[in-house]
Amino acid sequence: MESNHSKKTMLAAVCLGLGLSYSPQVFAVGGSVTGDSESPALTEVQQQTKRITGVVSDHTGPVIGASVKVKGTSNGVATDFDGNFSLQAAVGQTLVVSYVGYLPKEIVVTATQNVYNITIEEDRQMLNEVVVVGYGTMKKSDLSGSSISIGEDALRGSVITSLDQSLQGHATGVTAVTTSGAPGSSSAIRVRGIGSINANQEPLYVIDGVIVQTGGQSGADFGLGDRLGNGKVSTISPLSTLNPNDIVSMEILKDASATAIYGAQGANGVVLITTKRGKAGEAKFSYDGMFAVNRQMKRLDMMNLREYSEYYQDFVNNGWIMKSQANPNYSDASILGKGTNWQDAVFQTALQHSHQISAQGGTDAVRYYVSGNFMNQEGTIIGSEFTRYSVRTNLDAQLKPWLKLGLSATFSNTKDDLTKADGTEGVISYSLTTLPDIPIYDIWGNYYTEAREGYTNPNPVALANYNQYTLERRKLTGNIFAEVSFLSNLVWHAELGYDISGSNAETWEPSVDLGGWQKPANQDHW
């Protein structure tokens, strides 16, 4: 066997075999290395790379657990109990030192220095940031409990239809999972983990000091029974009646201190939502629009007609289906096409758009914010759609230096056109089990279905378009408050909140005669 390894490589192998430690130089693999000669690439890397050590500290002393990383790479370490760090870096590379609550610092590695004592400074802007808590507002530096802040900038770039969807990917430690792909569907939010199997796990939502009554989350809660095929599974978002474009900030209270303010209602965490308010100055009008396209990019790999014919013929050839009872339409797969792709038939490319016009302004004494919003989202399953109209008014009036009055009011009207998508008798299930040789329409343009021995599936497209399940919801929420300033640091705040909502669910299942699948009578409910 020809040996083409360098002495250093052989030494490393011997040390490893004997269980000894060996700290090699950096090797650049760019071809074979023969004899004792080393490639120019290897020598160049060895000359540029060196061990960097140092201490990270602040004004009080060493910082434990600070991150020291080579910029643009995954090479990084954390400081130990004494603030020490050690890592390999090349001359000209940049070290990035970061720590929670401190400003990041960058240091360029030079050829003449191997030890770096780095001092980092507190991010005073973040510590002075005002956050909303249950009793009002306070500086983040004075906040002892666990909380997460989400600003308007983080929410502006999100394509969302409801408040619970705005938490996805923006709140550290908060789990947000979409429960359904239906338009206006809810997300399962877990702030403090799962504490019960059967009890409600959703956090408490408080908008401008008013606790929002979320109500039901499934079709059964709104009088639809099991017509959606998902029983009591939460798919209808109770927060989709509220317009997320009016939000200016969200604060999530995670620890047990939230229960001291809101009692048992806050046991699963509290989400405090602050909406936009007017600012003194000339009236400013703004338009906020959004357009999106939704599509089911992935399909389950199902057999087309030709593949199903070959599969069926294997059963006949192996004697599992008697030739005298076999369907002759499957005898020659070569003359057949792909047939009907029922997944493509029930799924569609759905459009989503939102439009909002708002105005804000006022004087030092009176400030206002008014907005109107329209949002429409088509479902990726035919026959499903979500529409919302909403208006909001926020008013603040400084009547006296010691007296302030204000109100917040929002009204929304939503309409959900739902589809029985889930369950064994849902549109999706039928789209996966309907045979590919059955067409969507007959020669007259009517929906077509066929009954065979052991097979009675209805036409999934007809099922989605014929049956109509509609849910309309109306919600009026807001508050009226007064603030009296007795002293410079003593304010008495009185507030009256209201949350009034109503819903109307209607179902219409017309009589259908598709040959092999029939419903003899109309069925309606409201």
Side-chain angles (χ1 to χ4, degrees):
M1 180 179 64
E2 182 181 355
S3 175
N4 61 350
H5 298 284
S6 68
K7 294 180 180 179
K8 293 183 178 180
T9 306
M10 296 175 63
L11 179 60
V14 172
C15 289
L16 291 175
L18 297 176
L20 302 175
S21 62
Y22 175 70
S23 179
Q25 304 268 349
V26 176
F27 288 89
V29 181
S32 62
V33 181
T34 59
D36 294 334
S37 62
E38 300 183 22
S39 65
L42 177 61
T43 305
E44 182 179 357
V45 173
Q46 289 177 333
Q47 290 175 350
Q48 292 182 352
T49 304
K50 59 180 181 178
R51 180 173 296 278
I52 303 299
T53 60
V55 178
V56 177
S57 59
D58 62 1
H59 67 283
T60 61
V63 176
I64 304 172
S67 173
V68 182
K69 185 177 180 181
V70 178
K71 189 175 183 179
T73 70
S74 59
N75 180 22
V77 296
T79 57
D80 60 14
F81 289 98
D82 297 321
N84 298 312
F85 70 92
S86 175
L87 79 167
Q88 292 285 342
V91 175
Q93 287 186 317
T94 302
L95 302 181
V96 180
V97 183
S98 59
Y99 191 68
V100 177
Y102 289 79
L103 295 170
K105 194 167 186 177
E106 297 186 357
I107 296 95
V108 179
V109 177
T110 62
T112 59
Q113 187 175 357
N114 297 331
V115 179
Y116 294 85
N117 295 322
I118 305 169
T119 302
I120 56 178
E121 299 178 355
E122 291 183 347
D123 189 351
R124 300 190 181 278
Q125 181 178 356
M126 186 183 72
L127 295 175
N128 292 330
E129 201 174 288
V130 176
V131 298
V132 179
V133 295
Y135 292 123
T137 60
M138 63 189 307
K139 288 185 178 181
K140 182 173 286 188
S141 57
D142 298 332
L143 183 63
S144 59
S146 176
S147 70
I148 300 174
S149 301
I150 303 176
E152 182 182 1
D153 294 338
L155 301 174
R156 184 175 294 276
S158 304
V159 181
I160 56 177
T161 58
S162 62
L163 296 179
D164 47 2
Q165 295 176 0
S166 63
L167 297 176
Q168 295 180 354
H170 292 113
T172 305
V174 177
T175 304
V177 180
T178 302
T179 59
S180 172
S185 60
S186 64
S187 298
I189 307 299
R190 300 293 181 265
V191 174
R192 301 184 63 193
I194 299 176
S196 174
I197 298 177
N198 298 320
N200 181 27
Q201 303 292 316
E202 296 297 314
L204 180 69
Y205 294 91
V206 182
I207 301 178
D208 291 335
V210 179
I211 297 176
V212 177
Q213 303 299 327
T214 55
Q217 290 183 277
S218 66
D221 294 330
F222 291 100
L224 292 173
D226 195 27
R227 288 177 173 83
L228 302 181
N230 51 24
K232 291 186 175 296
V233 177
S234 58
T235 57
I236 300 175
S237 175
L239 298 174
S240 61
T241 57
L242 302 172
N243 177 22
N245 291 332
D246 287 331
I247 299 175
V248 68
S249 67
M250 299 176 65
E251 309 290 337
I252 304 173
L253 306 183
K254 300 177 62 177
D255 58 7
S257 63
T259 59
I261 306 172
Y262 298 101
Q265 297 180 95
N268 296 323
V270 180
V271 180
L272 302 176
I273 301 170
T274 304
T275 60
K276 299 176 182 178
R277 308 197 75 85
K279 298 180 180 178
E282 295 183 358
K284 295 181 180 180
F285 297 87
S286 61
Y287 167 80
D288 188 2
M290 178 270 292
F291 178 83
V293 178
N294 300 314
R295 178 177 172 80
Q296 294 284 349
M297 300 301 297
K298 187 176 181 180
R299 302 279 195 273
L300 294 181
D301 190 12
M302 309 297 291
M303 290 184 291
N304 59 32
L305 178 55
R306 181 174 296 179
E307 294 168 340
Y308 180 76
S309 175
E310 296 173 349
Y311 174 77
Y312 183 89
Q313 204 59 36
D314 287 340
F315 273 73
V316 176
N317 297 334
N318 290 319
W320 295 330
I321 298 177
M322 297 180 62
K323 292 186 178 181
S324 60
Q325 298 178 353
N327 190 332
N329 296 328
Y330 301 138
S331 59
D332 188 1
S334 62
I335 63 175
L336 300 177
K338 293 185 177 181
T340 304
N341 188 324
W342 287 103
Q343 292 186 84
D344 289 343
V346 300
F347 288 116
Q348 65 177 354
T349 300
L351 304 180
Q352 177 182 352
H353 58 98
S354 174
H355 310 275
Q356 174 165 309
I357 298 177
S358 61
Q360 64 175 336
T363 63
D364 293 336
V366 179
R367 298 178 298 278
Y368 62 87
Y369 173 82
V370 181
S371 69
N373 175 268
F374 167 76
M375 200 278 294
N376 176 263
Q377 180 185 12
E378 296 178 345
T380 54
I381 296 180
I382 57 175
S384 59
E385 188 176 11
F386 175 77
T387 305
R388 180 182 63 225
Y389 300 88
S390 67
V391 293
R392 169 172 286 277
T393 299
N394 289 344
L395 180 65
D396 298 284
Q398 190 75 43
L399 302 183
K400 296 288 185 180
W402 51 269
L403 177 61
K404 179 181 178 181
L405 298 179
L407 67 86
S408 299
T410 180
F411 174 79
S412 62
N413 184 85
T414 63
K415 180 181 179 182
D416 294 82
D417 292 321
L418 305 168
T419 303
K420 187 174 183 179
D422 302 322
T424 57
E425 297 182 352
V427 172
I428 296 179
S429 177
Y430 283 138
S431 71
L432 300 176
T433 56
T434 302
L435 298 178
D437 64 325
I438 298 178
I440 302 174
Y441 305 99
D442 59 19
I443 58 175
W444 295 281
N446 301 316
Y447 290 119
Y448 181 82
T449 192
E450 186 176 330
R452 303 174 185 175
E453 183 178 355
Y455 175 82
T456 57
N457 271 20
N459 187 317
V461 178
L463 186 67
N465 290 325
Y466 276 158
N467 296 338
Q468 299 178 14
Y469 308 106
T470 303
L471 174 63
E472 293 189 14
R473 290 174 290 171
R474 295 159 298 279
K475 192 177 188 67
L476 176 64
T477 182
N479 66 344
I480 302 173
F481 67 89
E483 290 184 356
V484 179
S485 302
F486 296 101
L487 299 173
S488 58
N489 295 322
L490 179 62
V491 178
W492 178 71
H493 182 94
E495 181 176 306
L496 173 63
Y498 53 89
D499 184 7
I500 306 171
S501 60
S503 63
N504 180 35
E506 297 183 3
T507 65
W508 169 247
E509 298 177 350
S511 60
V512 178
D513 186 359
L514 298 178
W517 183 66
Q518 299 177 350
K519 283 200 305 182
N522 296 331
Q523 298 179 12
D524 57 358
H525 174 75
W526 61 88

